[in-house]
Amino acid sequence: MSLKCGIVGLPNVGKSTIFNCISNSTRAQIANFPFCTIEPNICITNVPDNRVTELANLVKPEKTIYATIEVVDIAGLVKGASHGEGLGNKFLSNIRETDAIIHVIRCFDDPNIAHVNGTVNPVADKEIIDYELIMKDLESIEKKIAKIEKNAKIAGDKTAKKTYEYLINIKQNLERGIPIRTLNLSEEENEAIKDCYLLTQKPVLYVCNVDEKSINQENKYVKDIKQLAQKEKAEVIVIAASIEAQIAEFDNIEERNILLKDLGITESGINKIIRNSYKMLNLITFFTAGPKEVHAWTIKKNSLAPQAAGTIHSDFERGFIRAEVIKYDDFIKYGSEAACRENGKINIEGKEYVVEDGDIMHFRFNV
């Protein structure tokens, strides 16, 4: 499934450090100057999921495969990007190709790390990004309004008139500085703007990059961002990129866990970013589990059983007959597929079954 998240933010906020931790690489250059990243860096990373480990421990498969997401590290944006300032046009083009936004915000003071605007002000930094994305969306909406305005004013064209009304309403909200994702648009309104590929319609996850002393105690900067994010109903993750870089240096999981414990952290912030990004993309996981492999498969939430089957092979969807479904908790409780069968914990589901996160499935098909 080719859905991807773009890491965005002002220059020098820690985007590339976080990307390198996510990708477990050093492919993104890190330096103390603006526009260190020019061309976007791309990685595909596993989605942390303890359920995969638990299933593998029970089934003892030859191979274990996690769900994945694609993450893109995009060049830093500056004020005026919507008018081509800095790498603005390139930035906005790259973000248009993503499905969700991971917005990294600097929430720490350090005189040795330059700030592109000279002063650390996370709220102002967030507003710069918001403004530039809104301006680009406003430009796209105005182009579509101009395109359909003539037909909308023709008495008999009710469809064009309705679309025009939707666009005017969205334009007015953008002019008030309101991102489209917060508008709770109707199905008809979403259809009206589908071909505009709007930037502020994308879901967003805010990542507050703090210093080490603030990882277990919220600083003022984080509190301010959380307050703003709450109004947007957006998630906030607090992370110290410097700590995550230290954690990423350890290949051994036990050594990583020792470091986390020493720092008073229960889980890596990178894991939280990946898992929340997966959720933000409206994705869920179902599993297949057998001696050959335990495999976590990715589907959109509310997918039907035949669609889930199709992620494994198109023939499975084309010739779908039924699905045998075991709930994850039942599988863990009884320890095997055979034991679940003996205890009546395998459900037979048809084409209208809506797959739930954590379902363990076997598909019957005929082509």
Side-chain angles (χ1 to χ4, degrees):
M1 183 168 290
S2 58
L3 295 176
K4 56 187 175 183
C5 293
I7 302 178
V8 307
L10 297 181
N12 279 11
V13 296
K15 299 188 313 301
S16 294
T17 301
I18 289 170
F19 174 84
N20 285 340
C21 293
I22 290 173
S23 62
N24 201 24
S25 74
T26 55
R27 72 178 74 184
Q29 185 185 0
I30 300 168
N32 187 19
F33 57 83
F35 308 121
C36 178
T37 300
I38 297 176
E39 293 299 326
N41 297 292
I42 302 172
C43 77
I44 295 175
T45 189
N46 287 343
V47 177
D49 192 335
N50 290 333
R51 296 174 300 180
V52 178
T53 308
E54 293 296 324
L55 288 172
N57 288 339
L58 288 173
V59 176
K60 304 290 191 294
E62 295 175 15
K63 188 163 55 171
T64 302
I65 301 173
Y66 286 78
T68 61
I69 59 168
E70 189 172 346
V71 180
V72 186
D73 177 30
I74 297 172
L77 178 149
V78 294
K79 190 174 181 178
S82 56
H83 302 293
E85 293 294 327
L87 299 170
N89 290 329
K90 192 172 189 62
F91 171 95
L92 295 167
S93 173
N94 289 333
I95 196 171
R96 198 181 296 279
E97 295 169 8
T98 67
D99 302 283
I101 297 169
I102 301 169
H103 183 166
V104 180
I105 302 172
R106 175 173 171 174
C107 292
F108 66 89
D109 294 305
D110 187 337
N112 298 314
I113 299 178
H115 188 286
V116 69
N117 293 326
T119 306
V120 177
N121 186 336
V123 171
D125 292 354
K126 176 187 177 301
E127 288 173 349
I128 288 171
I129 301 285
D130 289 346
Y131 177 82
E132 297 303 331
L133 299 186
I134 285 170
M135 286 299 101
K136 202 63 181 177
D137 281 355
L138 195 54
E139 180 185 309
S140 300
I141 289 290
E142 287 173 342
K143 282 181 181 177
K144 181 155 187 182
I145 288 172
K147 190 176 178 182
I148 71 162
E149 189 170 12
K150 188 175 179 181
N151 286 340
K153 291 180 179 178
I154 297 172
D157 198 336
K158 293 182 180 179
T159 301
K161 185 179 179 183
K162 204 69 183 170
T163 300
Y164 180 79
E165 289 172 359
Y166 292 149
L167 293 171
I168 291 296
N169 177 55
I170 290 168
K171 176 177 180 287
Q172 289 171 346
N173 277 289
L174 287 170
E175 287 172 339
R176 290 197 292 267
I178 302 172
I180 293 168
R181 63 178 169 270
T182 66
L183 295 181
N184 196 25
L185 299 180
S186 67
E187 192 175 327
E188 292 80 8
E189 287 170 312
N190 279 313
E191 185 64 28
I193 59 174
K194 186 172 68 175
D195 58 349
C196 295
Y197 304 103
L198 300 171
L199 304 178
T200 66
Q201 194 174 18
K202 300 176 189 294
V204 64
L205 170 67
Y206 293 106
V207 176
C208 294
N209 184 16
V210 301
D211 52 23
E212 294 189 16
K213 67 182 180 183
S214 300
I215 195 65
N216 291 314
Q217 186 175 354
E218 274 187 12
N219 63 32
K220 180 184 181 300
Y221 296 147
V222 172
K223 289 176 182 176
D224 289 343
I225 294 300
K226 281 190 172 181
Q227 194 172 10
L228 293 173
Q230 191 173 19
K231 294 176 184 177
E232 299 179 22
K233 297 179 180 177
E235 294 287 332
V236 176
I237 290 177
V238 179
I239 184 173
S242 57
I243 289 177
E244 297 300 325
Q246 293 174 47
I247 295 168
E249 290 178 3
F250 293 98
D251 293 325
N252 185 289
I253 292 176
E254 289 182 4
E255 290 177 341
R256 287 190 179 193
N257 289 337
I258 290 169
L259 178 58
L260 287 171
K261 188 176 180 180
D262 289 344
L263 293 167
I265 303 170
T266 55
E267 183 184 22
S268 158
I270 294 299
N271 282 2
K272 293 178 185 177
I273 291 174
I274 297 170
R275 196 165 50 249
N276 276 269
S277 298
Y278 189 77
K279 179 182 173 183
M280 181 170 58
L281 289 168
N282 205 27
L283 302 175
I284 63 170
T285 303
F286 75 91
F287 303 99
T288 52
K292 289 286 184 186
E293 66 178 31
V294 165
H295 196 136
W297 300 90
T298 299
I299 53 172
K300 293 287 281 185
K301 193 175 181 180
N302 297 321
S303 292
L304 299 178
Q307 295 171 311
T311 64
I312 299 175
H313 197 287
S314 57
D315 284 349
F316 285 24
E317 182 173 9
R318 189 158 52 92
F320 180 90
I321 299 172
R322 66 178 185 273
E324 296 180 356
V325 182
I326 305 172
K327 296 303 175 185
Y328 171 80
D329 288 343
D330 287 334
F331 197 102
I332 297 301
K333 179 180 177 180
Y334 293 103
S336 70
E337 181 181 335
C340 286
R341 194 178 298 277
E342 287 172 11
N343 286 276
K345 295 300 181 181
I346 295 183
N347 299 324
I348 306 301
E349 305 289 356
K351 293 182 178 180
E352 299 305 312
Y353 176 69
V354 178
V355 179
E356 295 182 2
D357 185 51
D359 280 351
I360 298 160
M361 307 184 76
H362 289 293
F363 299 103
R364 303 300 179 188
F365 69 102
N366 184 30
V367 291

